[in-house]
Amino acid sequence: MFGKKRGMQAMLAADRPGASRDATPEVAAFVALREQVRAAEAAAAPTPPPFELMWTGVEARLAANARERVETVAKPTGWRALLGHRPVWVLAPVGALVMAVVLGYFVSTAGSGDVDNRCYVDSYDAASGTILVEQDLDDRSGVTVIWHLDEG
Amino acid sequence: MRKRLVPVPDVPMALAAVALAVAVLGAACEAGAEPAARLEITVIQAKSGPPYLNPELKPLWTTLRKTFGDKYAHYQKIASREGVVENGQTVSVPLPDGTVFQATYSGLTETRGLLRVHLAFGEFRTKVRIHNGGVFFQAGRKFDGGTLIIAVNASLVGR
């Protein structure tokens, strides 16, 4: 339709500000084409992302993260979990009680282990049967048995 | 005529001296008195057969096992009695067969402080001396397919 050089000049003229459709037909054609292209670009331009909505979500997420972090730090583990929020020194009475029980056990059993069961038989008598004294006086914990066996 | 001044005795001090004397005499009498004893009698029926130990005999199990070994396997508690007695007093245990087992506390020996205990069980009599807290057995009488073992424990009260 146009020569190459003439077409280029028409394009430049149409791109200059103030170019109007009333110019030469080539320029007018390019002006019309530019307007069509700009209209198409404007129509095809994507809508901006909903930044406000996004920031609202981000703020909500940040607040939730902060809450979770606080809960994680405050949540006790191990012995603290067993104790709840009570300080460790509440274990002192419990420890004292345990020690008292242990000491009491050892004190109460220490005596029983030292019991001297040796028995000295001074006399025995029975109208019938057999009397037998079974003992080991070298064994302090050994228990003496005084048998009285019936006849027959 | 001149009067001689006689010192008046201090009444509170005199009373205190009397109280002290009474306390000392009381303590001396207390020291001379023979302590009471606790006698515990446990009557056990022992026999062979399936192993069994009456739960109430658990404290005696080690002693029974050590003393009688494998001779018996079944230990049933028949009766028990305990009492705190003074010198000359008796603790008695009636048995299901109508007999009575008697243990009498007869005081302490002078030298070593052993407890004198006299037993009477039917026609059987015996006198023994045992250490404080010690235990001994009298055994041999037949009863209900088994043998009676009578554990006697004697200990001084308050020591």
Side-chain angles (χ1 to χ4, degrees):
Chain A
M1 187 165 78
F2 304 119
K4 194 170 184 180
K5 186 176 178 182
R6 193 176 166 187
M8 185 61 71
Q9 287 175 342
M11 278 172 45
L12 292 173
D15 203 29
R16 253 187 246 112
S20 74
R21 292 173 183 271
D22 300 333
T24 60
E26 298 86 352
V27 173
F30 277 113
V31 168
L33 179 61
R34 184 189 68 189
E35 290 175 353
Q36 288 178 10
V37 169
R38 285 182 176 170
E41 285 179 348
T47 53
F51 288 112
E52 288 300 322
L53 197 60
M54 184 186 75
W55 279 116
T56 303
V58 168
E59 285 171 355
R61 184 66 250 173
L62 287 173
N65 286 347
R67 276 198 306 273
E68 287 174 4
R69 188 164 55 248
V70 168
E71 287 174 1
T72 303
V73 169
K75 189 175 182 180
T77 58
W79 283 104
R80 288 184 183 278
L82 290 174
L83 287 171
H85 293 286
R86 290 184 288 273
V88 175
W89 58 260
V90 300
L91 283 175
V94 178
L97 185 63
V98 170
M99 287 302 295
V101 169
V102 170
L103 284 174
Y105 172 78
F106 281 112
V107 167
S108 62
T109 56
S112 62
D114 295 338
V115 170
D116 190 343
N117 284 323
R118 286 177 299 177
C119 175
Y120 308 95
V121 180
D122 294 326
S123 67
Y124 46 79
D125 180 47
S128 64
T130 303
I131 295 175
L132 176 68
V133 177
E134 183 181 348
Q135 65 179 170
D136 179 8
L137 292 178
D138 293 331
D139 181 5
R140 291 169 59 93
S141 64
V143 176
T144 295
V145 184
I146 306 170
W147 292 93
H148 178 213
L149 304 171
D150 296 330
E151 290 177 344
Chain B
M1 186 178 167
R2 291 184 62 185
K3 289 184 178 179
R4 283 184 69 183
L5 290 176
V6 178
V8 178
D10 190 346
V11 175
M13 284 294 288
L15 287 176
V18 169
L20 181 64
V22 169
V24 169
L25 283 173
C29 291
E30 186 75 16
E34 201 144 60
R38 172 178 281 105
L39 295 180
E40 297 178 32
I41 302 171
T42 308
V43 183
I44 304 162
Q45 181 202 28
K47 59 184 179 183
S48 56
Y52 172 75
L53 178 73
N54 186 300
E56 294 180 54
L57 298 177
K58 280 184 179 176
L60 278 172
W61 168 242
T62 305
T63 306
L64 289 169
R65 181 69 180 167
K66 179 180 178 181
T67 306
F68 299 102
D70 296 329
K71 192 189 300 286
Y72 306 111
H74 187 104
Y75 294 95
Q76 178 65 54
K77 181 181 174 183
I78 301 297
S80 68
R81 189 68 58 87
E82 76 169 81
V84 176
V85 289
E86 302 289 342
N87 188 346
Q89 293 183 321
T90 299
V91 174
S92 301
V93 183
L95 298 181
D97 64 357
T99 57
V100 177
F101 182 91
Q102 294 179 315
T104 303
Y105 170 56
S106 298
L108 300 175
T109 61
E110 292 181 0
T111 52
R112 300 186 63 188
L114 302 179
L115 289 85
R116 297 183 192 275
V117 180
H118 298 177
L119 301 186
F121 187 26
E123 61 177 17
F124 172 76
R125 300 283 186 277
T126 187
K127 295 180 180 179
V128 302
R129 289 168 288 137
I130 60 172
H131 292 269
N132 181 24
V135 62
F136 67 98
F137 293 128
Q138 195 285 316
R141 176 169 291 206
K142 300 298 180 189
F143 176 75
D144 196 19
T147 302
L148 286 184
I149 295 174
I150 302 173
V152 180
N153 174 265
S155 56
L156 294 173
V157 175
R159 287 199 182 182

